[in-house]
């Protein structure tokens, strides 16, 4: 594809001057603003270091709502408001204990309860362990071999996949559904290998889903670090009659009131057409959620800050939404869609950042062929900023429920090779985020929003 800049045939002293198009010049201004005058990094620093973890229903989540609302109000937007949403409240409780025992020997393992899990009995539980690689292998064993045992799901993420989210999706079912399926067969608990491509000692949490099984069938679910999983598997082969002791005290309470945080720049030409950019404000409780998804939230806020800094007035209404409860319920995304329907709103575009604050590489796009081709045609505009990926694919969990006629949905795609080192783990902290990479992501988001706002969607 030929470059979109205009070759201006102006010769001064033998030098040819190339005049940039309006779009090229605006993207240059966007990147300059983000790389020299951004607020996203200190915003993230406060969320991470002062507030900390932000699990739905927690004090941290409440503080994050108030903080981000106050920061959006400093930008001079047309509207800043809170949108009520009822969210689940799950509390981890005391630190989990897990060890393998054979004879008088014990091996302790790094574990953590999966989100939404039930507790063990107060005294803990102790049972033999049966190792499986998949839900299918579990089902094939049947109740006779599973009942009264602890099921150990030990299927690692496939390192052959360069697309790490493909590796993640290829094994996350054991975390989300393992406890439910093992509980149906009479297992006492499940231990799940962490969703992590590297070997380390950090257990990674994440939601487990019991579905509609009875309370009696709901069994404790815990994650084990990848190093722990390797050692446990090896130990079970050496000591097949060993037992595993597990104790965790997590608890689920009644739903509580929380909020989506919304800021808005009213469109100058089509205020009735809405373009959304957002991330999820909640995080798991082990770290402080800097990559997942504090980064996406502050990048989304930064988009509006960039437009204010460069004096850009959007044609369509631009709305930043910091969604609550993506991690264990998607209540915020669902409530946003419910309110959108009640208000008969017309959303034409939605952009989400929920893949970490690493260097941006491109966008995954949910759109018809005409709009996909339209966005892909802007590739040359992004080449100077090392953005090259324009692919069809999943955009984001929180914008997933959002439905309007002709809506286009896009997800920011950063380099994901290190993302699962931190995902849902205690090391997802502020020091893991690079300031410049965070700002480059915000600039990429602002750029595609600008281009969509200027050019509209294909119908």
């Amino acid at each position: 594809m030929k470059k979109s800049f205009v070759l201006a045939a102006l010769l001064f002293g033998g030098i040819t001057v190339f005049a940039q198009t309006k779009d090229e010049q605006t993207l240059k201004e966007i990147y300059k603003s983000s790389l020299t005058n951004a607020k996203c990094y200190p915003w993230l620093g406060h969320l991470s270091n002062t507030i900390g973890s932000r699990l739905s229903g927690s004090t941290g989540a409440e503080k994050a709502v108030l903080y981000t609302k106050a920061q959006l109000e400093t930008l001079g937007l047309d509207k800043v408001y809170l949108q009520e949403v009822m969210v689940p409240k799950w509390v981890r409780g005391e630190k989990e204990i897990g060890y393998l025992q054979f004879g008088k020997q014990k091996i302790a393992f790094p574990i953590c309860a999966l989100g939404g899990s039930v507790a063990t009995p107060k005294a803990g539980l102790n049972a033999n362990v049966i190792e499986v690689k998949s839900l299918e292998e579990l089902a094939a064993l049947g109740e006779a071999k599973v009942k009264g045992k602890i099921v150990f799901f030990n299927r690692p993420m496939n390192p052959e996949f360069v697309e790490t989210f493909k590796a993640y999706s290829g094994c996350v079912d054991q975390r989300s559904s393992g406890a439910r399926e093992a509980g149906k067969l009479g297992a006492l608990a499940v231990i799940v290998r962490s969703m992590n491509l590297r070997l380390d000692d950090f257990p990674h949490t994440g939601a487990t889903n019991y579905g509609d099984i009875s309370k009696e069938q709901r069994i404790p679910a815990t994650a084990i670090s990848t190093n722990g999983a390797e050692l446990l598997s090896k130990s079970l082969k050496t000591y097949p009659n060993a037992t595993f002791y597990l104790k965790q005290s997590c608890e689920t309470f009644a739903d509580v009131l929380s909020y989506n945080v919304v800021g808005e720049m009213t469109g100058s030409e089509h205020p009735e057409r809405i373009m959304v950019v957002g991330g999820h404000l909640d995080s798991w409780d082990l770290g402080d959620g800097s990559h997942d998804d504090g980064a996406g939230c502050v990048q989304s806020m930064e988009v509006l800050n960039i437009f204010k800094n460069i004096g850009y007035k959007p044609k369509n209404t631009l709305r930043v939404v910091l969604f609550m409860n993506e991690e264990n319920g998607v209540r915020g995304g669902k409530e946003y869609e419910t309110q959108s329907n009640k208000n008969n709103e017309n959303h034409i575009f939605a952009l989400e950042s929920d893949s970490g604050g690493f260097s941006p590489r491109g966008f995954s796009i949910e759109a018809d062929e005409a709009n996909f081709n339209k966005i892909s045609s802007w590739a040359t505009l992004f080449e100077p900023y090392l953005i090259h990926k324009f692919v069809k694919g999943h955009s984001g969990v929180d914008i997933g429920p959002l439905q309007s006629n002709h809506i286009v949905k896009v997800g920011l795609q950063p380099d994901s090779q290190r993302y699962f080192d931190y995902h849902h783990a205690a090391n997802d902290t502020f020091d893991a985020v690079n300031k410049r990479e965070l700002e480059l992501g915000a600039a990429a988001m602002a750029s595609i929003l600008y281009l969509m706002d200027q050019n509209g969607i294909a119908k």
Side-chain angles (χ1 to χ4, degrees):
M1 184 178 295
K2 294 182 179 179
K3 286 192 174 290
S4 59
F5 57 71
V6 177
L7 300 180
L10 301 175
L11 294 177
F12 296 97
I15 299 175
T16 302
V17 178
F18 297 95
Q20 290 184 316
T21 65
K22 177 185 175 183
D23 288 345
E24 286 177 316
Q25 183 59 38
T26 301
L27 262 63
K28 184 177 180 180
E29 292 174 7
I30 286 171
Y31 272 84
K32 180 180 178 180
S33 175
S34 192
L35 293 173
T36 63
N37 197 26
K39 296 182 178 181
C40 55
Y41 193 66
W43 280 336
L44 182 61
H46 187 92
L47 278 176
S48 300
N49 299 325
T50 302
I51 295 175
S53 65
R54 305 173 300 279
L55 189 59
S56 293
S58 69
T59 300
E62 182 179 355
K63 289 180 179 179
V65 166
L66 297 176
Y67 173 71
T68 51
K69 178 177 182 289
Q71 295 308 304
L72 287 173
E73 288 172 341
T74 67
L75 300 183
L77 306 178
D78 297 305
K79 294 180 184 178
V80 178
Y81 57 94
L82 301 180
Q83 186 178 75
E84 293 185 352
V85 55
M86 297 299 294
V87 300
K89 182 179 177 65
W90 177 83
V91 177
R92 181 173 301 279
E94 298 176 359
K95 182 170 178 55
E96 303 86 346
I97 300 172
Y99 58 80
L100 191 70
Q101 186 168 6
F102 42 95
K104 295 182 179 180
Q105 291 184 287
K106 294 179 182 179
I107 302 176
F109 289 91
I111 62 168
C112 69
L114 292 178
S117 174
V118 298
T120 62
K122 288 185 178 180
L125 60 85
N126 198 9
N128 294 119
V129 180
I130 184 168
E131 180 178 347
V132 297
K133 290 290 192 286
S134 66
L135 296 175
E136 293 75 17
E137 184 179 346
L138 171 71
L141 289 174
E143 183 177 352
K145 294 184 179 180
V146 173
K147 189 173 182 179
K149 303 279 200 319
I150 295 174
V151 175
F152 170 37
F153 287 98
N154 190 29
R155 183 165 84 258
M157 293 175 66
N158 190 338
E160 296 178 15
F161 294 134
V162 175
E163 294 288 343
T164 61
F165 279 88
K166 185 176 181 181
Y168 175 72
S169 64
C171 63
V172 74
D173 62 343
Q174 59 192 337
R175 189 192 74 199
S176 60
S177 304
R180 181 179 69 245
E181 298 307 313
K184 291 178 183 178
L185 298 175
L188 295 183
V190 296
I191 301 169
V192 182
R193 183 189 182 104
S194 289
M195 308 293 109
N196 184 3
L197 279 159
R198 74 176 182 181
L199 293 174
D200 63 25
D201 295 318
F202 293 101
H204 294 228
T205 191
T208 194
N209 178 17
Y210 292 114
D212 58 359
I213 64 174
S214 67
K215 288 185 178 180
E216 293 72 25
Q217 292 177 313
R218 298 185 179 196
I219 59 176
T222 196
I224 188 170
S225 72
T226 48
N227 272 337
E230 294 289 303
L231 178 58
L232 180 56
S233 180
K234 181 179 179 180
S235 299
L236 290 173
K237 291 178 175 61
T238 306
Y239 306 102
N241 295 320
T243 59
F244 195 95
Y245 174 82
L246 174 64
K247 183 180 180 182
Q248 55 190 44
S249 56
C250 38
E251 187 174 358
T252 299
F253 297 87
D255 289 355
V256 299
L257 178 64
S258 190
Y259 305 90
N260 293 328
V261 183
V262 185
E264 188 172 296
M265 296 174 71
T266 304
S268 59
E269 295 182 16
H270 300 286
E272 76 286 357
R273 299 177 184 172
I274 300 171
M275 304 175 70
V276 164
V277 57
H280 65 85
L281 193 52
D282 62 305
S283 75
W284 284 109
D285 56 321
L286 298 178
D288 55 49
S290 291
H291 276 297
D292 188 20
D293 183 34
C297 287
V298 298
Q299 286 173 326
S300 300
M301 295 165 66
E302 187 62 44
V303 169
L304 274 65
N305 185 44
I306 290 170
F307 288 161
K308 282 288 184 178
N309 286 341
I310 69 174
Y312 179 69
K313 299 185 184 301
K315 294 180 179 181
N316 305 287
T317 292
L318 177 57
R319 187 180 288 172
V320 60
V321 184
L322 310 182
F323 298 95
M324 184 57 69
N325 184 233
E326 186 271 349
E327 293 292 6
N328 58 338
V330 201
R331 302 276 188 90
K334 292 175 181 177
E335 182 62 25
Y336 183 82
E337 164 65 0
T338 296
Q339 294 303 319
S340 173
N341 288 334
K342 285 184 179 179
N343 297 326
N344 198 30
E345 292 179 337
N346 177 26
H347 286 77
I348 61 171
F349 182 73
L351 170 63
E352 185 167 341
S353 173
D354 185 19
S355 298
F358 301 100
S359 291
R361 293 289 179 253
F363 307 97
S364 57
I365 304 161
E366 290 185 54
D368 58 25
E369 202 67 27
N371 281 293
F372 176 77
N373 290 337
K374 185 172 190 174
I375 294 173
S376 299
S377 72
W378 300 329
T380 52
L381 290 170
F382 284 97
E383 282 180 3
Y385 309 104
L386 306 181
I387 301 294
H388 63 273
K389 183 179 179 181
F390 295 83
V391 296
K392 291 183 179 180
H394 175 68
S395 57
V397 172
D398 281 306
I399 62 176
L402 191 58
Q403 301 296 324
S404 290
N405 291 332
H406 308 295
I407 190 170
V408 173
K409 301 179 188 179
V410 172
L412 178 69
Q413 292 291 296
D415 189 313
S416 68
Q417 300 310 313
R418 289 177 290 134
Y419 180 63
F420 290 100
D421 295 354
Y422 307 101
H423 185 247
H424 297 178
N427 60 339
D428 185 5
T429 51
F430 184 63
D431 61 305
V433 178
N434 177 275
K435 178 177 180 290
R436 186 171 178 84
E437 291 180 338
L438 184 74
E439 293 165 352
L440 286 167
M445 293 164 68
S447 296
I448 198 166
L449 270 165
Y450 158 76
L451 290 167
M452 289 299 302
D453 184 59
Q454 283 291 302
N455 296 280
I457 61 174
K459 296 183 180 179

